[in-house]
Amino acid sequence: MNIIKVKCLFPTGTLRFATKSIQDQEGNWLNKITSMTQLNRSIGDDKTYEQSGLTIEFSDDDRFFRGMMSGNNRFIAGKTVDILDENDSLIYRGNVEKWEFQEDGFSISINDKLIGLENVIPATLTKTRFPDLEEEADGASIPLIYGNVSTGTGAVKCWKAETGKYLLAGHHCKSLESVFTGEGLDVTADFTLSNEGETGSSDQFAFIVYTGTGTFSHAFILADVKGKCSGDDLVDHPVHVLEDVFSKVPGMDLSPVNRENNISIMIERKYVFKGVVGGNKTVKEFLKEFVFSFDCDF
């Protein structure tokens, strides 16, 4: 029988269990797993994503779990559980949906049901953050830009945040390609890109700054850009884009299962992501557009 390990990130700390007692570099894996159900898969309510789950039963004849589940330590719903093989390779990751005691046992049901689907991804422009913001821009989304986004007439709408300064994105961008007025006039020569805020900071922005002579009083401009960058690299691989978007949603991340395989497949197929996440878009709306664009199992 293959050894199965279960790592539970519970309030008491990280607990390690296995189908036999093991002592390795990860620590002591207690032999408490009595059974695991098969992994069940189902289609989400709106049929745009899959979810899965299983139940793990533990022996509790020594009252280990009854002793553990006291006070705030009872609050394990939503906590992460990893299922590993004997070589510590991740097989499945889920979150606790429910738990219960049996006469001499304890069981948890875990699933990978998507949470945060209704969360709005982009942050919003506010006069609290930008006091000189145009009235009509108050409440507009701060775009997230991935890949080389260009229409030849300006793919991204940038609102004036202060005199001579237009907000481009809620992150640093690789380069500014061209700038246009709302009437379609090319004014690229009069503008430059300004990345502000420390790398990794939540208070990070890209601005387009007016460097021309004379007065420029437009409420917004349109720009073609190469968007988010990691060092000198443009973030345009679909998996990296997903990971970046999910990092902005509390409680949501992309499972590492099949990650490297998906990355390889998309590189082989020359898939890249080019787009702007804006318009107060929810995670659900973003995923609907995303999953129909790329043929891989996320």
Side-chain angles (χ1 to χ4, degrees), residues 145-210:
I145 307 169
Y146 300 102
N148 187 356
V149 180
S150 174
T151 61
T153 55
V156 186
K157 189 173 186 177
C158 311
W159 289 100
K160 183 170 72 175
E162 57 186 83
T163 302
K165 199 171 184 179
Y166 295 80
L167 182 59
L168 171 63
H171 51 70
H172 291 176
C173 288
K174 184 174 178 62
S175 63
L176 177 64
E177 301 299 295
S178 51
V179 181
F180 304 87
T181 66
E183 295 76 33
L185 178 64
D186 189 331
V187 289
T188 306
D190 293 331
F191 286 89
T192 188
L193 173 66
S194 176
N195 286 321
E196 301 183 11
E198 294 184 10
T199 300
S201 166
S202 58
D203 198 27
Q204 186 184 98
F205 300 99
F207 293 94
I208 299 177
V209 180
Y210 180 64

Side-chain angles (χ1 to χ4, degrees), residues 3-8 14-33 82-86 88:
I3 298 171
I4 298 296
K5 299 177 177 179
V6 174
K7 182 188 293 186
C8 304
T14 300
L15 303 181
R16 298 174 175 88
F17 308 104
T19 50
K20 65 175 290 186
S21 294
I22 303 170
Q23 183 68 44
D24 61 15
Q25 60 184 5
E26 279 282 334
N28 189 29
W29 298 80
L30 302 178
N31 181 13
K32 284 187 169 293
I33 301 174
D82 288 344
I83 299 176
L84 315 166
D85 65 17
E86 57 187 309
D88 293 331

Side-chain angles (χ1 to χ4, degrees), residues 48-68:
T48 60
Y49 60 90
E50 288 187 352
Q51 61 192 44
S52 57
L54 54 82
T55 298
I56 308 168
E57 294 185 352
F58 303 93
S59 169
D60 197 35
D61 52 8
D62 61 356
R63 296 306 189 251
F64 173 88
F65 292 101
R66 282 167 170 78
M68 179 193 79

